[in-house]
Amino acid sequence: VVSAHLGVTDLLDTVARSAADGMLEGDRVRIRHRTLLRQLGLHPELLDRYFTELFGLLGGIHERGRLEPSERDLVLSFGERMSARIVAQTLRAMGHLATPVDAFDLGLVSDSNHGAARPLPESRQRVKSALLDVPGIPVVTGFLAKDRRGNLTTLGRNGSDLTAALMAEAVGAGELQ
């Protein structure tokens, strides 16, 4: 289970609020991640689809001049989503089979409390079953879930730790580090 890279969640929060205030600063996120990709020797275009999606979202926030809680969750999700792709690609470069997976695609379901969502009990069995189908090492996004209507939610600060505990419980792990 991975979190966003150091400082990225705060950066994403800043660019989302800036977009609502009339300034588009998404390039700060792209520069930060492209620098990381270069340092790790990974392909510079690995995250381009995420940048495109993020910039479109920020553009909509900019046009409306306001940031809804659901949009904030979606903007913040890019930190974990991009981190999972970077970590999985780094593991592959080291010769390991690794697959990036969004926790919500494993069946992590939450209530609809954007910014501080709570996982629902039915998630455990869904996650347990879905993890069996992931090839190699699953590199799972922390912090993220979807509500029963399919809307992306975040589990609040330290939500990646909660996700790790949920994943450990689902697979019957004897230890979580």
Side-chain angles (χ1 to χ4, degrees), residues 64-102:
R64 284 186 307 286
R66 70 178 184 282
L67 176 63
E68 301 294 333
S70 59
E71 291 172 316
R72 181 176 181 266
D73 277 1
L74 190 52
V75 170
L76 296 182
S77 78
F78 285 91
E80 276 71 15
R81 291 163 60 201
M82 291 190 292
S83 178
R85 277 69 190 170
I86 290 170
V87 171
Q89 191 60 37
T90 300
L91 288 168
R92 287 187 206 128
M94 297 168 63
H96 302 287
L97 177 59
T99 304
V101 186
D102 295 322

Side-chain angles (χ1 to χ4, degrees), residues 9 76-77 80 141-145 153-160 163:
T9 301
L76 296 182
S77 78
E80 276 71 15
T141 57
F143 183 60
L144 308 177
T153 59
T154 60
L155 305 178
R157 290 297 179 152
N158 299 311
S160 292
T163 304

Side-chain angles (χ1 to χ4, degrees), residues 16-17 19-22 57 60-68 71:
R17 292 178 192 282
D21 291 339
L57 179 59
I61 294 166
H62 179 262
E63 285 178 21
R64 284 186 307 286
R66 70 178 184 282
L67 176 63
E68 301 294 333
E71 291 172 316

Side-chain angles (χ1 to χ4, degrees), residues 43-58:
H43 196 282
E45 296 175 4
L46 176 67
L47 304 174
D48 280 1
R49 77 173 269 240
Y50 296 96
F51 298 139
T52 300
E53 186 180 344
L54 174 61
F55 295 166
L57 179 59
L58 293 172

Side-chain angles (χ1 to χ4, degrees), residues 8-18 67 72 75-76 157:
V8 169
T9 301
D10 289 336
L11 176 60
L12 287 164
D13 196 31
T14 297
V15 301
R17 292 178 192 282
S18 293
L67 176 63
R72 181 176 181 266
V75 170
L76 296 182
R157 290 297 179 152

